[in-house]
Amino acid sequence: MFNANLSQIPKDWPNRSLSTSILVNQIQWHVQIHRHPNPDAKTILLIHGAGASTHSWEQILPNLMQDFTVIAPDLPGHGFTTGYDQNLLKIDDIAFDMHLLIEELGIPSPDIFIGHSAGANICLALALLCEIEPRLIIGMNPALVAPPSGYNMFLGPFINPIATSSVMAHFLATTLKLSGAIDKILDSTNSKLSSLQRSRYKTLFNDSKHINGALSFVTAINIPKLLKQSSQIHSNLAFVLAKQDSWIQIASVKSVIKEYYPNAVIFEEEGGHLFHEANPLRALDIIHTTIQNTYFDIKVSV
């Protein structure tokens, strides 16, 4: 059931004109959708990472919509999607609900999945649920390895049962804002974001529900389970790995990809964890190149 009430979304939120709200399986999804007028256009699904929202695709989505139907949801527990069960924020649970969402939208199963960080993990899990697997999956700095010890020391105190309680999330929403911790977290990604881009994250982390959902999601990520299913994925795979990503370190994740996804194409790029936000033109160049190498009959706009 679609709901036109988008009052909770700031007027200046990126790509707000594409926003809609739809209730599926008790989750009130915030989704940004562009339906391409060409009925033969391929469909792209964009899935953001932990702690982000559709704003992550601010400069990616408008370009892709020139040639594709594009779906970009806020994950359960993130952004402006509400009504989720905190105990159902595992990768498999979210993939299942995402599958239901796509069916409810009345859009054929997307041909191309693009995910950032843990969003890439969801892409892989979702592919296993589709009757027709996506032809192509692109993972930007996929969360296929555990964060390094320094990351755990920095965020570890937040990622535990106490921090993921609603009371503590409310406390953190105030504390993070006053302490400047959000800027420090963004700095730790080694990504050069503008003040406007940083303000999007500050808006999100001013909401205790977003903090609660994001931390609950992070604690529920099960990488070994996903990797055990790697042989069941037959989609073309491409992974973009940023050399200065301190959250998903390139040497470790590259080793995992070569072991579990040996046929995947790997792009090694200069940049940090939020590579696609800080370097959207290069990210789009990689996306277009990879799509054209998969679909030889597609010409894309640059």
Side-chain angles (χ1 to χ4, degrees):
M1 178 185 298
F2 285 92
N3 181 350
N5 181 14
L6 302 172
S7 59
Q8 76 277 22
I9 303 174
K11 297 294 184 182
D12 63 347
W13 203 246
N15 302 310
R16 190 180 189 276
S17 62
L18 302 176
S19 291
T20 189
S21 182
I22 180 171
L23 180 65
V24 183
N25 196 29
Q26 301 183 338
I27 297 176
Q28 192 72 50
W29 291 87
H30 167 236
V31 193
Q32 294 187 333
I33 306 173
H34 167 74
R35 298 176 188 263
H36 198 277
N38 180 355
D40 295 324
K42 303 298 182 185
T43 299
I44 293 179
L45 173 66
L46 301 174
I47 304 181
H48 66 77
S53 76
T54 58
H55 83 278
S56 188
W57 309 109
E58 178 174 6
Q59 298 183 64
I60 302 291
L61 197 163
N63 179 283
L64 296 179
M65 61 188 273
Q66 296 179 60
D67 300 291
F68 303 95
T69 287
V70 184
I71 308 169
D74 279 346
L75 293 177
H78 291 70
F80 307 104
T81 290
T82 60
Y84 64 94
D85 183 336
Q86 185 177 339
N87 297 314
L88 295 176
L89 290 180
K90 300 180 181 68
I91 294 289
D92 289 344
D93 296 326
I94 294 177
F96 175 78
D97 283 317
M98 188 82 67
H99 187 56
L100 295 181
L101 168 65
I102 293 169
E103 289 183 338
E104 188 67 22
L105 290 174
I107 296 175
S109 186
D111 308 278
I112 302 162
F113 293 175
I114 302 176
H116 169 247
S117 194
N121 298 36
I122 295 174
C123 288
L124 295 168
L126 178 59
L128 297 171
L129 300 178
C130 297
E131 291 184 13
I132 301 176
E133 280 191 65
R135 182 84 172 272
L136 172 64
I137 299 174
I138 301 175
M140 303 268 183
N141 292 322
L144 297 177
V145 294
S149 57
Y151 171 97
N152 288 325
M153 288 175 62
F154 186 59
L155 291 183
F158 297 150
I159 305 175
N160 60 57
I162 296 177
T164 55
S165 70
S166 58
V167 174
M168 182 57 73
H170 181 75
F171 169 76
L172 287 174
T174 301
T175 303
L176 289 174
K177 181 179 180 180
L178 295 176
S179 67
I182 298 173
D183 277 317
K184 293 176 183 177
I185 291 172
L186 292 174
D187 288 343
S188 75
T189 69
N190 288 332
S191 307
K192 295 181 180 179
L193 300 183
S194 68
S195 58
L196 181 59
Q197 288 174 308
R198 287 171 175 264
S199 73
R200 310 298 188 197
Y201 284 99
K202 292 175 182 178
T203 295
L204 293 173
F205 280 88
N206 194 41
D207 183 352
S208 60
K209 294 188 294 295
H210 178 84
I211 293 176
N212 181 264
L215 293 180
S216 296
F217 174 49
V218 168
T219 61
I221 294 176
N222 188 334
I223 296 172
K225 181 179 180 181
L226 182 65
L227 295 178
K228 286 180 181 178
Q229 299 171 314
S230 61
S231 63
Q232 300 174 40
I233 294 176
H234 306 103
S235 306
N236 292 287
L237 300 174
F239 295 106
V240 181
L241 310 181
K243 296 178 183 178
Q244 288 78 41
D245 186 350
S246 58
W247 288 28
I248 308 295
Q249 295 188 341
I250 188 169
S252 299
V253 73
K254 190 172 162 184
S255 175
V256 169
I257 290 170
K258 287 186 174 181
E259 178 178 355
Y260 291 94
Y261 306 101
N263 296 320
V265 175
I266 297 177
F267 295 86
E268 297 184 34
E269 300 292 325
E270 299 293 331
H273 189 62
L274 301 176
F275 167 80
H276 65 296
E277 294 187 39
N279 307 278
L281 293 180
R282 177 54 185 153
L284 281 166
D285 182 49
I286 293 170
I287 290 170
H288 290 320
T289 298
T290 307
I291 290 175
Q292 288 179 315
N293 288 342
T294 304
Y295 295 93
F296 297 104
D297 56 337
I298 287 184
K299 293 183 179 180
V300 295
S301 304
V302 179

